[in-house]
């Protein structure tokens, strides 16, 4: 019995995270240890009492509890019964309301850049796991001169969201302009790189479309699955993958080849260059601070990424590229430090994991802060417009150029995020998250509650239009409604 209690306590405290299978295994072990002890207690009770207790337990298990009770039951990650009940017979949340979404406006016609203008060079740098609030407050940027410069001289979207909290989900959406469930995911790769990827999805992707428009495309990847054939970032004419297996290559291997390519950019040809950095990333040991509180080591790794961005800015500031280069810096997702009971990324869709920096600097950019809720899904249409290339109707994102030019504009596409069988949708400052595995819904008013502490799902007037919008949007756009929900990397 003491061993069983110790096992259970360890399950709840040490593994306080979203690993249901691990919890289930530990809970089963606990049950095997506790069971015989309880059985002896049961024999002592009168027969009628045992029958009554058994019947009450069965009745409680069969009734699907309301949403707020479900949330309480899942409050302890080590409790197995609600996972089993949700998977077996709890119904999905339902929303009885008219959905709160706009009618999608078509993409504007392509406009070729002025013939006398030098051909654009667009550099897209995605940095792993940079949550927006790690750098968007001026005092956070004291040690980040490159970010400081981008905020000062560039356009900053202050409410940008990633389409998921996992790299492959997020970058696949970025390069396709479509959300995760609008793509087809199937096992791809060999050995320890084999996982679900949109390798066979026929949707047009950014690099291929740019190549058709005569743009030179080049990529340096710090992760194996950024190779063209995995379908996350496909179609680049020039690619250098500096990672092997599941490793995350350091910026020392990524940025120097990118700079080399930019210095050699042909004068008369437009070019698109993409690189993904994996500083910061757990275990946060690539910054100057290698030992200490996780958040401090994490910030030290962001400072490391900043030093590389400084080198990149120096190259973009040379006469050959000044006036031609547009730099876009963003992150594939954020990073959690226990805000909602999880750490690192990929497990939830709360703001610490999906609110990301989105900065534009250089060609055509005047300094401004834009509070409209942009998404990484908008980058492919934005980059296509930069080169005067048409945006295919399949792309759900919307070009950000009206906002970058300071024009009055409005998003008509819904903003969504997905992962771990969860889906989230924003309408203005209101957000709904539906968890299809746990069969629960949460709703937040981010204006009043940016930390998502006060769940408003009990308020039907607030939640139902958001939930109905989420349901209708995914029903209309999901490529294969059953398949994509399983992504769990
Ligand atoms: Zn990532």
């Amino acid at each position: 019995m003491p061993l069983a209690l110790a096992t259970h306590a360890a399950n709840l405290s040490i593994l306080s995270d979203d690993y249901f299978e691990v919890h289930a295994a530990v809970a089963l072990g606990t049950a095997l240890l506790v069971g015989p002890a309880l059985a002896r207690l049961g024999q002592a009770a009168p027969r009628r009492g045992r029958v009554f207790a058994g019947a009450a337990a069965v009745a409680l298990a069969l009734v699907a509890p309301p949403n707020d009770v479900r949330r309480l039951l899942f409050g302890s990650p080590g409790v197995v019964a609600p996972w089993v009940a949700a998977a077996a017979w709890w119904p999905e949340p339902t929303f009885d309301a008219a959905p709160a979404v706009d009618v999608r406006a078509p993409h504007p016609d392509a406009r070729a850049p002025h013939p006398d203008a030098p051909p654009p060079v667009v550099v897209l740098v995605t940095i792993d796991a940079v949550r927006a609030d790690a750098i968007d407050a001026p005092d956070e940027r004291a040690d980040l001169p490159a970010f400081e410069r981008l905020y000062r001289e560039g356009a900053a979207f202050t409410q940008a969201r990633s389409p998921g909290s996992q790299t492959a989900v997020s970058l696949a959406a970025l390069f396709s302009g479509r959300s995760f469930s609008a793509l087809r995911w199937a096992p791809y790769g060999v050995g320890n790189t084999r996982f679900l990827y949109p390798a066979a999805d026929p949707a047009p992707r950014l690099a291929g479309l740019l190549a058709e428009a005569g743009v030179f495309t080049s990529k340096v990847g710090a992760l194996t699955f950024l190779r063209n054939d995995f379908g996350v970032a496909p179609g680049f004419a020039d690619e250098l993958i500096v990672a092997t297996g599941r490793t995350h290559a350091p910026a020392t291997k990524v940025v120097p080849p990118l700079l080399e390519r930019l210095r050699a950019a042909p004068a008369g040809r437009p070019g698109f260059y993409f690189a993904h950095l994996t500083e910061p990333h757990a275990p946060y040991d690539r910054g100057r601070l290698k030992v200490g509180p996780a958040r401090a080591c994490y910030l030290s790794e962001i400072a490391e990424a900043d030093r590389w961005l400084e080198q990149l800015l120096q190259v973009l500031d040379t006469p050959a590229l000044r006036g031609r280069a547009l730099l876009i810096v963003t992150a594939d997702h954020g990073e959690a430090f226990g805000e909602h009971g999880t750490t690192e990324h990929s497990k939830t869709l709360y703001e610490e994991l999906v609110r990301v920096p989105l900065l534009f600097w250089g060609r055509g950019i005047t300094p401004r802060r834009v509070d409209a809720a942009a998404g990484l899904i908008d980058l492919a249409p934005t980059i296509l417009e930069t080169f005067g290339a048409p945006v295919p109707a399949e792309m759900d994102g919307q070009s950000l150029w009206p906002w970058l030019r300071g024009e009055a504009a409005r998003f008509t596409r819904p903003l969504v995020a997905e992962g771990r069988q969860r889906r989230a949708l924003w309408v203005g400052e209101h957000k709904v998250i539906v968890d299809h595995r746990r069969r629960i819904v949460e709703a937040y008013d981010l204006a009043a509650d940016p930390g998502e502490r006060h769940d408003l799902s009990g308020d039907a007037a607030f939640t139902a239009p958001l939930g109905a919008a989420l349901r209708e949007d995914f029903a209309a756009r999901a490529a294969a409604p059953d398949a994509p929900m399983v992504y769990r990397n």
Side-chain angles (χ1 to χ4, degrees):
M1 196 70 163
L3 179 61
L5 287 174
T7 313
H8 187 59
N11 192 19
L12 296 184
S13 52
I14 300 170
L15 295 167
S16 60
D17 227 328
D18 182 30
Y19 291 101
F20 169 59
E21 293 82 354
V22 181
H23 288 302
V26 179
L28 178 65
T30 310
L32 289 175
L33 291 166
V34 172
L38 289 182
R40 274 200 300 277
L41 280 178
Q43 279 161 9
R47 188 166 176 275
R48 220 168 358 144
R50 273 182 278 154
V51 170
F52 177 76
V58 169
L60 273 177
L62 287 177
V63 174
N67 187 62
D68 47 350
V69 175
R70 294 184 196 186
R71 288 206 62 200
L72 279 176
L73 289 173
F74 278 109
S76 165
V79 175
V80 174
W83 294 96
V84 175
W89 64 83
W90 289 357
E92 289 269 1
T94 53
F95 306 101
D96 186 17
V101 280
D102 278 325
V103 177
R104 180 81 173 79
H107 297 298
D109 290 338
R111 277 186 297 188
H114 196 278
D116 298 336
V121 167
V122 174
V123 183
L124 170 66
V125 178
T126 54
I127 309 178
D128 221 286
V130 180
R131 50 190 286 168
D133 63 3
I135 62 167
D136 68 359
D139 54 336
E140 295 277 9
R141 293 200 296 274
D143 300 323
L144 305 172
F147 276 116
E148 173 59 34
R149 183 173 175 193
L150 294 177
Y151 275 94
R152 188 164 24 89
E153 298 179 2
F157 283 86
T158 61
Q159 297 296 323
R161 300 308 197 296
S162 63
S165 56
Q166 294 151 283
T167 309
V169 167
S170 191
L171 293 183
L174 190 163
F175 285 103
S176 64
R178 294 165 73 80
S179 62
F180 166 68
S181 59
L183 296 167
R184 289 176 187 278
W185 297 71
Y188 189 81
V190 290
N192 65 359
T193 65
R194 187 166 177 81
F195 205 71
L196 295 177
Y197 293 105
D201 190 283
R205 311 298 222 287
L206 176 61
L209 292 165
L210 290 174
E212 279 171 29
V215 178
F216 172 67
T217 56
S218 174
K219 161 176 68 183
V220 186
L223 298 162
T224 299
F225 65 75
L226 292 178
R227 213 171 64 200
N228 279 336
D229 56 312
F230 280 78
V232 172
F236 283 81
D238 166 51
E239 76 168 352
L240 175 66
I241 299 298
V242 292
T244 52
R246 289 179 70 93
T247 59
H248 299 75
T252 47
K253 287 191 172 175
V254 175
V255 183
L258 169 69
L259 300 183
E260 208 175 284
R261 284 161 166 74
L262 284 167
R263 287 193 195 99
R269 190 173 175 196
F272 173 59
Y273 298 80
F274 163 61
H276 180 78
L277 304 189
T278 53
E279 290 90 355
H281 201 286
Y284 317 126
D285 57 354
R286 289 186 189 161
R288 285 183 184 161
L289 185 67
K290 297 188 196 310
V291 182
R295 176 131 187 171
C297 294
Y298 165 78
L299 294 174
S300 175
E301 283 203 332
I302 294 181
E304 183 64 18
D306 188 87
R307 282 187 275 281
W308 287 105
L309 284 179
E310 269 192 294
Q311 296 209 18
L312 174 58
L313 282 167
Q314 269 172 26
V315 171
L316 299 183
D317 232 354
T318 52
L321 292 172
R322 197 179 301 137
R324 284 186 72 189
L326 169 67
L327 172 63
I328 306 170
V329 177
T330 187
D332 55 350
H333 49 74
E335 191 79 340
F337 292 90
E339 289 83 352
H340 291 90
T342 69
T343 55
E344 301 180 25
H345 52 265
S346 85
K347 295 157 198 158
T348 75
L349 297 174
Y350 295 114
E351 295 292 291
E352 61 268 18
L353 287 189
V354 291
R355 199 166 78 78
V356 291
L358 177 55
L359 300 155
F360 287 74
W361 176 94
R363 183 193 179 101
I365 300 298
T366 43
R368 66 177 80 242
R369 288 174 73 85
V370 184
D371 295 330
L376 297 195
I377 201 158
D378 301 318
L379 286 181
T382 307
I383 293 167
L384 286 166
E385 186 179 340
T386 309
F387 290 102
V391 180
E394 291 98 323
M395 286 192 173
D396 291 315
Q398 213 172 318
S399 171
L400 299 174
W401 273 109
W403 287 269
L404 291 168
R405 288 189 291 254
E407 296 168 8
R410 195 167 64 87
F411 287 109
T412 57
R413 54 102 184 94
L415 187 62
V416 301
E418 293 170 81
R420 296 269 180 139
Q421 302 195 40
R422 292 180 175 90
R423 288 170 168 175
L425 175 139
W426 291 260
V427 176
E429 303 261 43
H430 297 177
K431 177 179 179 184
V432 64
I433 306 170
V434 176
D435 185 325
H436 294 270
R437 192 159 46 123
R438 300 189 297 169
R439 307 275 165 96
I440 58 178
V441 59
E442 294 163 67
Y444 298 98
D445 179 355
L446 298 177
D449 175 28
E452 294 159 296
R453 294 274 147 216
H454 307 293
D455 175 27
L456 300 175
S457 61
D459 179 348
F462 180 87
T463 307
L466 297 169
L470 183 144
R471 179 194 61 211
E472 302 230 338
D473 179 60
F474 282 98
R477 290 186 301 105
D482 299 329
M485 300 290 291
V486 300
Y487 193 94
R488 287 213 58 199
N489 189 20

